[in-house]
Amino acid sequence: MKQGSKRILTYFALVVVSLSFFFWGLVQAQGFLVPLSVAALLAMVMLPVCGWLERKNIKRGWASLLSVLLIMSFFLLMAAIIAGQINSLAEDWPKIKQRLEPKIEQLQQYIAEKTGISEQEQEAKIAETIPGDSSPGAESPGESSSEDTLSSKGENQSTVTQDSTQQQRPDTQDTAGSGNSIGSMLSNAGSFIGGFFGFIGTFLLTFIYVFFFLLYRRKFRLSVLKMVPDDKKELTQKILFKSTEVSQNYLAGRLLLIIFLAVLYFIGLTISGVNNALLISVLAAVLSLIPYLGNIIGYVLAIGMALFSGTGLTGALGVTITFTITQFVESYILEPYIVGDKVNLNPVVTIVVVVLGEAVWGVIGMLIAIPALGVLKVIFDHIPVLQPLGYLFGSEDIASEEDDEKDNFFSKAKNWALKRFK
């Protein structure tokens, strides 16, 4: 019994240590692995486009290049739209600030009435949380009153000394201050330029990877098949096909879904009179990639913009109706028809993986966590030893018969929509 417990503890410790080193390695190799992983997923998305171009008698090299230029143009167009809308938001910010200040005052008054904390105390507590300028020479009233005599005795001498020093070395402090200011500006400019060129380099490197993944995809597939025994080649071929199919269906479907959602959000928010409706619509559509939380964040952004842009409760009601209708259309019409049922993942595992992806690689980790988990599920489902993990990652046996009966109305609506749109 003791030996069995020791063995379990040993295995558990080895798993914990191995996972710790694994995730530590992912964080350390982020600069190398992130563009490579994103490029692999984008290449899977563009495989149908590249294959279609090749069937039109276009050589593989040119087909790969055109596919890369197409997906690059899409991202540049999205960036241009967001940049233009942010510029418009910056121009409207003074008006938004004017509307925001009275609301903040009302909130402070409400807090003062309910809690007894005065507005001055609230501002003081806020000021404590914000680092400000400190004057090391400032003293308390008690200290200054006790040392008035000593300080007054030395004032004349110090004044004479300072005057003589300033006459001997004029503008020394101004020169030092301007030098520090120039140095800070140069440092900030250097950091910005370095970050900008680093981003551009990573952006271009990612699409270079996409080009070569598309160009040499047959060689990569054959290389993987050569690494496995002959009796496992058929299984490996099946895993590669299923993994590519899952990634294509999910990523390409999500890309189309983002476009549809952005259009629906834009129409609803424009009718509701929300300023910068295009920016909010694009952000809300992109945030839908984050399961469960993304839609909530997008809704909060739209509500905030509706309230601060002067539309009031009418605009907030319009935003709520827009998001409610859009979410229904997404869940029961667009998502089943566009994305399909290829990525059936356990909701709990999905949330854990998304949070873990954000902790390891930030926003990029959140976006690629679900397709990566879908690929892992395909691999685990086809390897007998790992099939329990594939079952854990999947959504099999989650819904009971009672849940199915409760969801009868939505199931009927879903089936009706699929019959009409297919």
Side-chain angles (χ1 to χ4, degrees), residues 104-112 117 119 122-123 126:
I104 293 177
E105 293 178 359
Q106 293 175 3
L107 179 62
Q108 289 179 339
Q109 293 175 0
Y110 178 80
I111 294 174
I117 302 175
E119 298 181 14
Q122 296 177 30
E123 294 177 356
I126 294 174

Side-chain angles (χ1 to χ4, degrees), residues 304-411:
M305 184 58 68
L307 294 176
F308 298 147
S309 61
T311 57
L313 295 178
T314 304
L317 180 61
V319 169
T320 303
I321 295 174
T322 298
F323 272 77
T324 302
I325 295 175
T326 304
Q327 290 305 311
F328 179 84
V329 173
E330 177 192 3
S331 301
Y332 295 101
I333 298 177
L334 295 178
E335 190 166 0
Y337 183 70
I338 297 176
V339 180
D341 299 328
K342 299 297 183 181
V343 186
N344 290 323
L345 299 176
N346 188 336
V348 178
V349 177
T350 300
I351 295 174
V352 171
V353 170
V354 169
V355 173
L356 185 61
E358 193 278 334
V360 175
W361 285 351
V363 177
I364 298 296
M366 296 176 70
L367 297 180
I368 68 176
I370 297 180
L373 183 63
V375 171
L376 285 178
K377 185 183 184 316
V378 171
I379 296 173
F380 293 162
D381 286 340
H382 289 83
I383 299 177
V385 179
L386 300 176
Q387 283 178 355
L389 283 177
Y391 177 79
L392 174 64
F393 290 171
S395 60
E396 298 88 348
D397 300 333
I398 289 181
S400 62
E401 294 181 358
E402 295 179 358
D403 295 331
D404 291 339
E405 292 178 358
K406 292 178 182 179
D407 198 38
N408 191 27
F409 168 75
F410 295 104
S411 298

Side-chain angles (χ1 to χ4, degrees), residues 104-297:
I104 293 177
E105 293 178 359
Q106 293 175 3
L107 179 62
Q108 289 179 339
Q109 293 175 0
Y110 178 80
I111 294 174
E113 293 175 358
K114 296 298 181 181
T115 62
I117 302 175
S118 64
E119 298 181 14
Q120 291 77 11
E121 292 175 345
Q122 296 177 30
E123 294 177 356
K125 290 183 178 181
I126 294 174
E128 289 176 0
T129 61
I130 301 175
D133 295 335
S134 60
S135 55
E139 298 175 346
S140 62
E143 292 175 349
S144 61
S145 62
S146 63
E147 296 180 359
D148 282 344
T149 305
L150 294 176
S151 61
S152 62
K153 289 180 180 179
E155 282 181 356
N156 295 331
Q157 295 179 356
S158 62
T159 303
V160 173
T161 304
Q162 290 175 1
D163 292 340
S164 61
T165 303
Q166 290 178 357
Q167 290 176 359
Q168 293 174 2
R169 294 179 297 174
D171 300 334
T172 303
Q173 295 179 353
D174 293 341
T175 305
S178 62
N180 292 333
S181 177
I182 294 174
S184 177
M185 291 174 60
L186 291 176
S187 177
N188 293 333
S191 300
F192 174 77
I193 293 173
F196 175 75
F197 281 105
F199 172 77
I200 294 298
T202 303
F203 182 80
L204 295 177
L205 180 62
T206 301
F207 288 101
I208 291 173
Y209 284 148
V210 174
F211 172 75
F212 284 111
F213 284 155
L214 292 174
L215 183 63
Y216 298 120
R217 60 183 185 272
R218 183 175 180 273
K219 185 175 181 64
F220 291 139
R221 179 174 58 83
L222 294 177
S223 299
V224 173
L225 293 176
K226 288 180 179 293
M227 296 178 187
V228 298
D230 293 337
D231 57 337
K232 301 292 183 182
K233 288 185 184 298
E234 184 177 354
L235 177 61
T236 304
Q237 179 77 18
K238 186 177 180 181
I239 292 175
L240 291 175
F241 175 77
K242 284 288 185 181
S243 301
T244 304
E245 184 183 20
V246 165
S247 300
Q248 285 178 357
N249 280 276
Y250 179 79
L251 293 172
R254 275 292 166 187
L255 198 60
L256 291 175
L257 199 60
I258 286 174
I259 297 173
F260 281 115
L261 290 178
V263 172
L264 293 176
Y265 284 139
F266 178 71
I267 294 173
L269 296 181
T270 302
I271 295 174
S272 303
V274 178
N275 292 343
N276 304 106
L278 183 58
L279 175 62
I280 301 299
S281 301
V282 173
L283 289 178
V286 173
L287 286 170
S288 66
L289 290 170
I290 304 173
Y292 311 109
L293 296 177
N295 293 324
I296 297 175
I297 297 173

Side-chain angles (χ1 to χ4, degrees), residues 9-25:
L9 290 175
T10 302
Y11 287 156
F12 179 76
L14 288 175
V15 169
V16 170
V17 172
S18 301
L19 289 176
S20 300
F21 276 105
F22 174 73
F23 289 113
W24 177 82

